[in-house]
Amino acid sequence: LATGPRQNNGVFFEIRTYDIKPAKMKEFLEVINKYIHFRTAHSELVGFWYSELGAMNKVFHIWKYDDFAHRTAVRHALANDKDWQGNLVSVILPLIEKQHNEVAYLVPWCQLGKPPKEGGVYEWVTFQMKPGGPALWGEAFRAAINAHINTGYTRLIGVFHTEYGLLNTVHVLWWNESPDHRAAGRHSAHEDARVVAAVRDSVRFLESQQNVLLIPLQCSPLK
């Protein structure tokens, strides 16, 4: 099935989602904040968050790679890094119930953004689209995203579509000043005729959607 255009370079993002044992989330976060530098010494961390609403006991982290050879080299180096193995991996593995990873590209019309300031919240929205890839639903999806951006209540950080993992999945990362600011903005957007029209066109290609409110860790580059 056609995947449509994507970024011209080989840069991709590995999206990792971990389910943490309910009683172990505090310990997990403390270990990550304290020892993540052993991992970031090898490749770029985009962001690290834990779920607050929409999912329980989950953490999300995104890693950037220049290409697949870069990722292979990083994974090889990590396997031989005793500091990473001893201080981080061996400690957090017993705290994790399940791990999931995906490889995704930024859509070609989106650059990775940053929030205007620290202290807000993030929203991770996962859309499962109909088979066919961005060649089928890309333009309608882009119009729906832009309609929300144009309302001004939220800041787009990135739009990713999967290459490995469940295909035809699009993850959209938003930043808002607070959950209440987001709620007020969504209410206004639902009354905006331009947003309503764009969303109606886009949902023709939609199978399902999940929204998760995320809180960045202290160590997260995106805060």
PDB file of all heavy atoms in Angstrom, residues 122-154:
ATOM      1  N   TYR A 122       1.237  18.098  27.768  1.00  0.00           N
ATOM      2  CA  TYR A 122       1.251  17.590  26.403  1.00  0.00           C
ATOM      3  C   TYR A 122       0.061  16.656  26.192  1.00  0.00           C
ATOM      4  O   TYR A 122      -0.392  15.991  27.125  1.00  0.00           O
ATOM      5  CB  TYR A 122       2.552  16.843  26.120  1.00  0.00           C
ATOM      6  CG  TYR A 122       3.761  17.745  26.056  1.00  0.00           C
ATOM      7  CD1 TYR A 122       4.361  18.217  27.223  1.00  0.00           C
ATOM      8  CD2 TYR A 122       4.300  18.132  24.841  1.00  0.00           C
ATOM      9  CE1 TYR A 122       5.470  19.043  27.177  1.00  0.00           C
ATOM     10  CE2 TYR A 122       5.411  18.957  24.780  1.00  0.00           C
ATOM     11  CZ  TYR A 122       5.987  19.406  25.949  1.00  0.00           C
ATOM     12  OH  TYR A 122       7.089  20.237  25.903  1.00  0.00           O
ATOM     13  N   GLU A 123      -0.384  16.629  24.954  1.00  0.00           N
ATOM     14  CA  GLU A 123      -1.450  15.699  24.590  1.00  0.00           C
ATOM     15  C   GLU A 123      -0.949  14.823  23.456  1.00  0.00           C
ATOM     16  O   GLU A 123      -0.502  15.317  22.416  1.00  0.00           O
ATOM     17  CB  GLU A 123      -2.706  16.462  24.163  1.00  0.00           C
ATOM     18  CG  GLU A 123      -3.889  15.535  23.862  1.00  0.00           C
ATOM     19  CD  GLU A 123      -5.159  16.287  23.511  1.00  0.00           C
ATOM     20  OE1 GLU A 123      -5.086  17.516  23.298  1.00  0.00           O
ATOM     21  OE2 GLU A 123      -6.215  15.654  23.452  1.00  0.00           O
ATOM     22  N   TRP A 124      -1.027  13.526  23.660  1.00  0.00           N
ATOM     23  CA  TRP A 124      -0.590  12.528  22.673  1.00  0.00           C
ATOM     24  C   TRP A 124      -1.860  11.916  22.078  1.00  0.00           C
ATOM     25  O   TRP A 124      -2.607  11.229  22.765  1.00  0.00           O
ATOM     26  CB  TRP A 124       0.254  11.470  23.362  1.00  0.00           C
ATOM     27  CG  TRP A 124       0.837  10.409  22.488  1.00  0.00           C
ATOM     28  CD1 TRP A 124       0.431   9.119  22.377  1.00  0.00           C
ATOM     29  CD2 TRP A 124       1.981  10.533  21.629  1.00  0.00           C
ATOM     30  NE1 TRP A 124       1.227   8.429  21.502  1.00  0.00           N
ATOM     31  CE2 TRP A 124       2.189   9.276  21.033  1.00  0.00           C
ATOM     32  CE3 TRP A 124       2.830  11.593  21.313  1.00  0.00           C
ATOM     33  CZ2 TRP A 124       3.230   9.049  20.127  1.00  0.00           C
ATOM     34  CZ3 TRP A 124       3.861  11.362  20.410  1.00  0.00           C
ATOM     35  CH2 TRP A 124       4.058  10.098  19.831  1.00  0.00           C
ATOM     36  N   VAL A 125      -2.105  12.214  20.814  1.00  0.00           N
ATOM     37  CA  VAL A 125      -3.328  11.761  20.152  1.00  0.00           C
ATOM     38  C   VAL A 125      -2.951  10.746  19.076  1.00  0.00           C
ATOM     39  O   VAL A 125      -2.154  11.051  18.185  1.00  0.00           O
ATOM     40  CB  VAL A 125      -4.101  12.923  19.523  1.00  0.00           C
ATOM     41  CG1 VAL A 125      -5.466  12.446  19.024  1.00  0.00           C
ATOM     42  CG2 VAL A 125      -4.272  14.065  20.522  1.00  0.00           C
ATOM     43  N   THR A 126      -3.496   9.550  19.183  1.00  0.00           N
ATOM     44  CA  THR A 126      -3.204   8.476  18.241  1.00  0.00           C
ATOM     45  C   THR A 126      -4.422   8.229  17.366  1.00  0.00           C
ATOM     46  O   THR A 126      -5.509   7.926  17.867  1.00  0.00           O
ATOM     47  CB  THR A 126      -2.812   7.191  18.971  1.00  0.00           C
ATOM     48  OG1 THR A 126      -1.624   7.431  19.753  1.00  0.00           O
ATOM     49  CG2 THR A 126      -2.540   6.068  17.980  1.00  0.00           C
ATOM     50  N   PHE A 127      -4.231   8.385  16.064  1.00  0.00           N
ATOM     51  CA  PHE A 127      -5.280   8.144  15.090  1.00  0.00           C
ATOM     52  C   PHE A 127      -4.955   6.876  14.309  1.00  0.00           C
ATOM     53  O   PHE A 127      -3.855   6.745  13.771  1.00  0.00           O
ATOM     54  CB  PHE A 127      -5.392   9.304  14.095  1.00  0.00           C
ATOM     55  CG  PHE A 127      -5.719  10.632  14.714  1.00  0.00           C
ATOM     56  CD1 PHE A 127      -4.704  11.486  15.134  1.00  0.00           C
ATOM     57  CD2 PHE A 127      -7.036  11.041  14.857  1.00  0.00           C
ATOM     58  CE1 PHE A 127      -4.991  12.720  15.694  1.00  0.00           C
ATOM     59  CE2 PHE A 127      -7.335  12.277  15.425  1.00  0.00           C
ATOM     60  CZ  PHE A 127      -6.314  13.114  15.838  1.00  0.00           C
ATOM     61  N   GLN A 128      -5.891   5.943  14.280  1.00  0.00           N
ATOM     62  CA  GLN A 128      -5.748   4.796  13.406  1.00  0.00           C
ATOM     63  C   GLN A 128      -6.556   5.086  12.147  1.00  0.00           C
ATOM     64  O   GLN A 128      -7.775   5.181  12.196  1.00  0.00           O
ATOM     65  CB  GLN A 128      -6.245   3.511  14.088  1.00  0.00           C
ATOM     66  CG  GLN A 128      -5.992   2.245  13.283  1.00  0.00           C
ATOM     67  CD  GLN A 128      -4.504   2.036  13.005  1.00  0.00           C
ATOM     68  OE1 GLN A 128      -3.678   2.245  13.893  1.00  0.00           O
ATOM     69  NE2 GLN A 128      -4.166   1.653  11.781  1.00  0.00           N
ATOM     70  N   MET A 129      -5.846   5.252  11.028  1.00  0.00           N
ATOM     71  CA  MET A 129      -6.471   5.638   9.778  1.00  0.00           C
ATOM     72  C   MET A 129      -6.766   4.412   8.911  1.00  0.00           C
ATOM     73  O   MET A 129      -6.211   3.329   9.123  1.00  0.00           O
ATOM     74  CB  MET A 129      -5.570   6.612   9.015  1.00  0.00           C
ATOM     75  CG  MET A 129      -5.097   7.812   9.834  1.00  0.00           C
ATOM     76  SD  MET A 129      -6.436   8.833  10.503  1.00  0.00           S
ATOM     77  CE  MET A 129      -7.046   9.592   8.991  1.00  0.00           C
ATOM     78  N   LYS A 130      -7.608   4.585   7.928  1.00  0.00           N
ATOM     79  CA  LYS A 130      -7.925   3.498   7.010  1.00  0.00           C
ATOM     80  C   LYS A 130      -6.692   3.135   6.186  1.00  0.00           C
ATOM     81  O   LYS A 130      -5.831   3.985   5.920  1.00  0.00           O
ATOM     82  CB  LYS A 130      -9.077   3.909   6.082  1.00  0.00           C
ATOM     83  CG  LYS A 130     -10.413   4.083   6.792  1.00  0.00           C
ATOM     84  CD  LYS A 130     -11.513   4.407   5.811  1.00  0.00           C
ATOM     85  CE  LYS A 130     -12.831   4.644   6.531  1.00  0.00           C
ATOM     86  NZ  LYS A 130     -13.318   3.450   7.239  1.00  0.00           N
ATOM     87  N   PRO A 131      -6.554   1.871   5.770  1.00  0.00           N
ATOM     88  CA  PRO A 131      -5.389   1.463   4.970  1.00  0.00           C
ATOM     89  C   PRO A 131      -5.261   2.294   3.699  1.00  0.00           C
ATOM     90  O   PRO A 131      -6.251   2.673   3.085  1.00  0.00           O
ATOM     91  CB  PRO A 131      -5.696   0.000   4.650  1.00  0.00           C
ATOM     92  CG  PRO A 131      -6.583  -0.453   5.766  1.00  0.00           C
ATOM     93  CD  PRO A 131      -7.431   0.737   6.109  1.00  0.00           C
ATOM     94  N   GLY A 132      -4.017   2.565   3.334  1.00  0.00           N
ATOM     95  CA  GLY A 132      -3.743   3.359   2.153  1.00  0.00           C
ATOM     96  C   GLY A 132      -2.649   4.382   2.373  1.00  0.00           C
ATOM     97  O   GLY A 132      -2.033   4.864   1.431  1.00  0.00           O
ATOM     98  N   GLY A 133      -2.400   4.730   3.637  1.00  0.00           N
ATOM     99  CA  GLY A 133      -1.316   5.632   3.953  1.00  0.00           C
ATOM    100  C   GLY A 133      -1.628   7.083   3.645  1.00  0.00           C
ATOM    101  O   GLY A 133      -2.720   7.429   3.191  1.00  0.00           O
ATOM    102  N   PRO A 134      -0.648   7.961   3.894  1.00  0.00           N
ATOM    103  CA  PRO A 134      -0.843   9.389   3.662  1.00  0.00           C
ATOM    104  C   PRO A 134      -1.232   9.734   2.227  1.00  0.00           C
ATOM    105  O   PRO A 134      -1.818  10.785   1.988  1.00  0.00           O
ATOM    106  CB  PRO A 134       0.520   9.990   4.027  1.00  0.00           C
ATOM    107  CG  PRO A 134       1.099   9.026   5.006  1.00  0.00           C
ATOM    108  CD  PRO A 134       0.642   7.674   4.547  1.00  0.00           C
ATOM    109  N   ALA A 135      -0.901   8.868   1.269  1.00  0.00           N
ATOM    110  CA  ALA A 135      -1.321   9.125  -0.108  1.00  0.00           C
ATOM    111  C   ALA A 135      -2.837   9.171  -0.214  1.00  0.00           C
ATOM    112  O   ALA A 135      -3.386   9.863  -1.073  1.00  0.00           O
ATOM    113  CB  ALA A 135      -0.763   8.053  -1.040  1.00  0.00           C
ATOM    114  N   LEU A 136      -3.520   8.447   0.670  1.00  0.00           N
ATOM    115  CA  LEU A 136      -4.982   8.406   0.666  1.00  0.00           C
ATOM    116  C   LEU A 136      -5.580   9.509   1.535  1.00  0.00           C
ATOM    117  O   LEU A 136      -6.448  10.263   1.102  1.00  0.00           O
ATOM    118  CB  LEU A 136      -5.474   7.036   1.145  1.00  0.00           C
ATOM    119  CG  LEU A 136      -6.983   6.873   1.335  1.00  0.00           C
ATOM    120  CD1 LEU A 136      -7.701   6.962  -0.014  1.00  0.00           C
ATOM    121  CD2 LEU A 136      -7.296   5.539   2.018  1.00  0.00           C
ATOM    122  N   TRP A 137      -5.118   9.609   2.784  1.00  0.00           N
ATOM    123  CA  TRP A 137      -5.774  10.488   3.754  1.00  0.00           C
ATOM    124  C   TRP A 137      -4.938  11.686   4.187  1.00  0.00           C
ATOM    125  O   TRP A 137      -5.371  12.504   4.990  1.00  0.00           O
ATOM    126  CB  TRP A 137      -6.185   9.693   4.990  1.00  0.00           C
ATOM    127  CG  TRP A 137      -5.195   8.671   5.475  1.00  0.00           C
ATOM    128  CD1 TRP A 137      -5.261   7.320   5.314  1.00  0.00           C
ATOM    129  CD2 TRP A 137      -3.970   8.902   6.216  1.00  0.00           C
ATOM    130  NE1 TRP A 137      -4.177   6.692   5.895  1.00  0.00           N
ATOM    131  CE2 TRP A 137      -3.376   7.643   6.460  1.00  0.00           C
ATOM    132  CE3 TRP A 137      -3.347  10.043   6.689  1.00  0.00           C
ATOM    133  CZ2 TRP A 137      -2.175   7.497   7.144  1.00  0.00           C
ATOM    134  CZ3 TRP A 137      -2.144   9.910   7.385  1.00  0.00           C
ATOM    135  CH2 TRP A 137      -1.583   8.642   7.598  1.00  0.00           C
ATOM    136  N   GLY A 138      -3.734  11.825   3.614  1.00  0.00           N
ATOM    137  CA  GLY A 138      -2.805  12.836   4.095  1.00  0.00           C
ATOM    138  C   GLY A 138      -3.303  14.264   3.995  1.00  0.00           C
ATOM    139  O   GLY A 138      -3.168  15.049   4.938  1.00  0.00           O
ATOM    140  N   GLU A 139      -3.872  14.641   2.873  1.00  0.00           N
ATOM    141  CA  GLU A 139      -4.290  16.027   2.695  1.00  0.00           C
ATOM    142  C   GLU A 139      -5.458  16.390   3.605  1.00  0.00           C
ATOM    143  O   GLU A 139      -5.500  17.475   4.190  1.00  0.00           O
ATOM    144  CB  GLU A 139      -4.637  16.283   1.225  1.00  0.00           C
ATOM    145  CG  GLU A 139      -3.426  16.340   0.316  1.00  0.00           C
ATOM    146  CD  GLU A 139      -2.387  17.341   0.776  1.00  0.00           C
ATOM    147  OE1 GLU A 139      -2.780  18.492   1.095  1.00  0.00           O
ATOM    148  OE2 GLU A 139      -1.194  16.986   0.830  1.00  0.00           O
ATOM    149  N   ALA A 140      -6.421  15.478   3.723  1.00  0.00           N
ATOM    150  CA  ALA A 140      -7.559  15.743   4.609  1.00  0.00           C
ATOM    151  C   ALA A 140      -7.105  15.819   6.060  1.00  0.00           C
ATOM    152  O   ALA A 140      -7.580  16.663   6.834  1.00  0.00           O
ATOM    153  CB  ALA A 140      -8.623  14.657   4.440  1.00  0.00           C
ATOM    154  N   PHE A 141      -6.171  14.970   6.434  1.00  0.00           N
ATOM    155  CA  PHE A 141      -5.662  14.979   7.802  1.00  0.00           C
ATOM    156  C   PHE A 141      -4.904  16.275   8.070  1.00  0.00           C
ATOM    157  O   PHE A 141      -5.075  16.898   9.126  1.00  0.00           O
ATOM    158  CB  PHE A 141      -4.752  13.771   8.021  1.00  0.00           C
ATOM    159  CG  PHE A 141      -4.382  13.547   9.459  1.00  0.00           C
ATOM    160  CD1 PHE A 141      -5.182  12.773  10.276  1.00  0.00           C
ATOM    161  CD2 PHE A 141      -3.244  14.117  10.003  1.00  0.00           C
ATOM    162  CE1 PHE A 141      -4.856  12.568  11.608  1.00  0.00           C
ATOM    163  CE2 PHE A 141      -2.907  13.927  11.332  1.00  0.00           C
ATOM    164  CZ  PHE A 141      -3.719  13.148  12.132  1.00  0.00           C
ATOM    165  N   ARG A 142      -4.098  16.687   7.113  1.00  0.00           N
ATOM    166  CA  ARG A 142      -3.353  17.935   7.269  1.00  0.00           C
ATOM    167  C   ARG A 142      -4.304  19.120   7.442  1.00  0.00           C
ATOM    168  O   ARG A 142      -4.064  20.003   8.283  1.00  0.00           O
ATOM    169  CB  ARG A 142      -2.457  18.161   6.050  1.00  0.00           C
ATOM    170  CG  ARG A 142      -1.648  19.442   6.093  1.00  0.00           C
ATOM    171  CD  ARG A 142      -0.800  19.591   4.847  1.00  0.00           C
ATOM    172  NE  ARG A 142       0.028  20.790   4.907  1.00  0.00           N
ATOM    173  CZ  ARG A 142       0.893  21.162   3.951  1.00  0.00           C
ATOM    174  NH1 ARG A 142       1.033  20.402   2.877  1.00  0.00           N
ATOM    175  NH2 ARG A 142       1.599  22.265   4.088  1.00  0.00           N
ATOM    176  N   ALA A 143      -5.375  19.145   6.676  1.00  0.00           N
ATOM    177  CA  ALA A 143      -6.332  20.244   6.784  1.00  0.00           C
ATOM    178  C   ALA A 143      -6.965  20.297   8.168  1.00  0.00           C
ATOM    179  O   ALA A 143      -7.178  21.382   8.736  1.00  0.00           O
ATOM    180  CB  ALA A 143      -7.412  20.099   5.708  1.00  0.00           C
ATOM    181  N   ALA A 144      -7.257  19.117   8.744  1.00  0.00           N
ATOM    182  CA  ALA A 144      -7.850  19.072  10.083  1.00  0.00           C
ATOM    183  C   ALA A 144      -6.866  19.569  11.139  1.00  0.00           C
ATOM    184  O   ALA A 144      -7.236  20.310  12.055  1.00  0.00           O
ATOM    185  CB  ALA A 144      -8.311  17.654  10.402  1.00  0.00           C
ATOM    186  N   ILE A 145      -5.607  19.182  11.003  1.00  0.00           N
ATOM    187  CA  ILE A 145      -4.584  19.648  11.936  1.00  0.00           C
ATOM    188  C   ILE A 145      -4.420  21.162  11.832  1.00  0.00           C
ATOM    189  O   ILE A 145      -4.381  21.882  12.847  1.00  0.00           O
ATOM    190  CB  ILE A 145      -3.244  18.940  11.670  1.00  0.00           C
ATOM    191  CG1 ILE A 145      -3.343  17.438  11.965  1.00  0.00           C
ATOM    192  CG2 ILE A 145      -2.124  19.577  12.500  1.00  0.00           C
ATOM    193  CD1 ILE A 145      -3.633  17.104  13.408  1.00  0.00           C
ATOM    194  N   ASN A 146      -4.324  21.664  10.615  1.00  0.00           N
ATOM    195  CA  ASN A 146      -4.139  23.104  10.430  1.00  0.00           C
ATOM    196  C   ASN A 146      -5.329  23.898  10.947  1.00  0.00           C
ATOM    197  O   ASN A 146      -5.160  25.018  11.464  1.00  0.00           O
ATOM    198  CB  ASN A 146      -3.899  23.404   8.956  1.00  0.00           C
ATOM    199  CG  ASN A 146      -2.497  23.044   8.503  1.00  0.00           C
ATOM    200  OD1 ASN A 146      -1.581  22.979   9.318  1.00  0.00           O
ATOM    201  ND2 ASN A 146      -2.330  22.796   7.219  1.00  0.00           N
ATOM    202  N   ALA A 147      -6.525  23.345  10.821  1.00  0.00           N
ATOM    203  CA  ALA A 147      -7.708  24.042  11.333  1.00  0.00           C
ATOM    204  C   ALA A 147      -7.610  24.238  12.838  1.00  0.00           C
ATOM    205  O   ALA A 147      -7.965  25.300  13.367  1.00  0.00           O
ATOM    206  CB  ALA A 147      -8.975  23.266  10.971  1.00  0.00           C
ATOM    207  N   HIS A 148      -7.098  23.228  13.554  1.00  0.00           N
ATOM    208  CA  HIS A 148      -6.917  23.362  14.995  1.00  0.00           C
ATOM    209  C   HIS A 148      -5.788  24.343  15.324  1.00  0.00           C
ATOM    210  O   HIS A 148      -5.907  25.143  16.265  1.00  0.00           O
ATOM    211  CB  HIS A 148      -6.630  22.002  15.625  1.00  0.00           C
ATOM    212  CG  HIS A 148      -7.836  21.140  15.787  1.00  0.00           C
ATOM    213  ND1 HIS A 148      -8.274  20.284  14.796  1.00  0.00           N
ATOM    214  CD2 HIS A 148      -8.718  21.016  16.809  1.00  0.00           C
ATOM    215  CE1 HIS A 148      -9.362  19.655  15.211  1.00  0.00           C
ATOM    216  NE2 HIS A 148      -9.650  20.081  16.431  1.00  0.00           N
ATOM    217  N   ILE A 149      -4.704  24.291  14.553  1.00  0.00           N
ATOM    218  CA  ILE A 149      -3.605  25.233  14.786  1.00  0.00           C
ATOM    219  C   ILE A 149      -4.085  26.668  14.627  1.00  0.00           C
ATOM    220  O   ILE A 149      -3.739  27.557  15.423  1.00  0.00           O
ATOM    221  CB  ILE A 149      -2.453  24.949  13.797  1.00  0.00           C
ATOM    222  CG1 ILE A 149      -1.814  23.592  14.084  1.00  0.00           C
ATOM    223  CG2 ILE A 149      -1.394  26.052  13.886  1.00  0.00           C
ATOM    224  CD1 ILE A 149      -0.795  23.172  13.047  1.00  0.00           C
ATOM    225  N   ASN A 150      -4.902  26.888  13.626  1.00  0.00           N
ATOM    226  CA  ASN A 150      -5.341  28.252  13.311  1.00  0.00           C
ATOM    227  C   ASN A 150      -6.243  28.853  14.390  1.00  0.00           C
ATOM    228  O   ASN A 150      -6.422  30.067  14.437  1.00  0.00           O
ATOM    229  CB  ASN A 150      -6.060  28.270  11.962  1.00  0.00           C
ATOM    230  CG  ASN A 150      -5.109  28.011  10.810  1.00  0.00           C
ATOM    231  OD1 ASN A 150      -3.905  28.220  10.922  1.00  0.00           O
ATOM    232  ND2 ASN A 150      -5.644  27.527   9.692  1.00  0.00           N
ATOM    233  N   THR A 151      -6.800  28.031  15.243  1.00  0.00           N
ATOM    234  CA  THR A 151      -7.608  28.572  16.343  1.00  0.00           C
ATOM    235  C   THR A 151      -6.724  29.245  17.387  1.00  0.00           C
ATOM    236  O   THR A 151      -7.203  30.088  18.153  1.00  0.00           O
ATOM    237  CB  THR A 151      -8.426  27.465  17.026  1.00  0.00           C
ATOM    238  OG1 THR A 151      -7.534  26.504  17.613  1.00  0.00           O
ATOM    239  CG2 THR A 151      -9.362  26.774  16.032  1.00  0.00           C
ATOM    240  N   GLY A 152      -5.447  28.843  17.451  1.00  0.00           N
ATOM    241  CA  GLY A 152      -4.498  29.503  18.326  1.00  0.00           C
ATOM    242  C   GLY A 152      -4.475  29.025  19.768  1.00  0.00           C
ATOM    243  O   GLY A 152      -3.670  29.502  20.562  1.00  0.00           O
ATOM    244  N   TYR A 153      -5.313  28.053  20.119  1.00  0.00           N
ATOM    245  CA  TYR A 153      -5.367  27.658  21.524  1.00  0.00           C
ATOM    246  C   TYR A 153      -4.323  26.611  21.884  1.00  0.00           C
ATOM    247  O   TYR A 153      -4.083  26.345  23.072  1.00  0.00           O
ATOM    248  CB  TYR A 153      -6.763  27.135  21.881  1.00  0.00           C
ATOM    249  CG  TYR A 153      -7.061  25.719  21.452  1.00  0.00           C
ATOM    250  CD1 TYR A 153      -6.778  24.628  22.287  1.00  0.00           C
ATOM    251  CD2 TYR A 153      -7.633  25.444  20.218  1.00  0.00           C
ATOM    252  CE1 TYR A 153      -7.046  23.327  21.893  1.00  0.00           C
ATOM    253  CE2 TYR A 153      -7.911  24.151  19.821  1.00  0.00           C
ATOM    254  CZ  TYR A 153      -7.614  23.096  20.658  1.00  0.00           C
ATOM    255  OH  TYR A 153      -7.885  21.812  20.255  1.00  0.00           O
ATOM    256  N   THR A 154      -3.694  26.004  20.894  1.00  0.00           N
ATOM    257  CA  THR A 154      -2.785  24.900  21.149  1.00  0.00           C
ATOM    258  C   THR A 154      -1.553  25.044  20.274  1.00  0.00           C
ATOM    259  O   THR A 154      -1.561  25.768  19.273  1.00  0.00           O
ATOM    260  CB  THR A 154      -3.491  23.549  20.874  1.00  0.00           C
ATOM    261  OG1 THR A 154      -2.650  22.472  21.269  1.00  0.00           O
ATOM    262  CG2 THR A 154      -3.843  23.405  19.390  1.00  0.00           C
TER     263      THR A 154
END
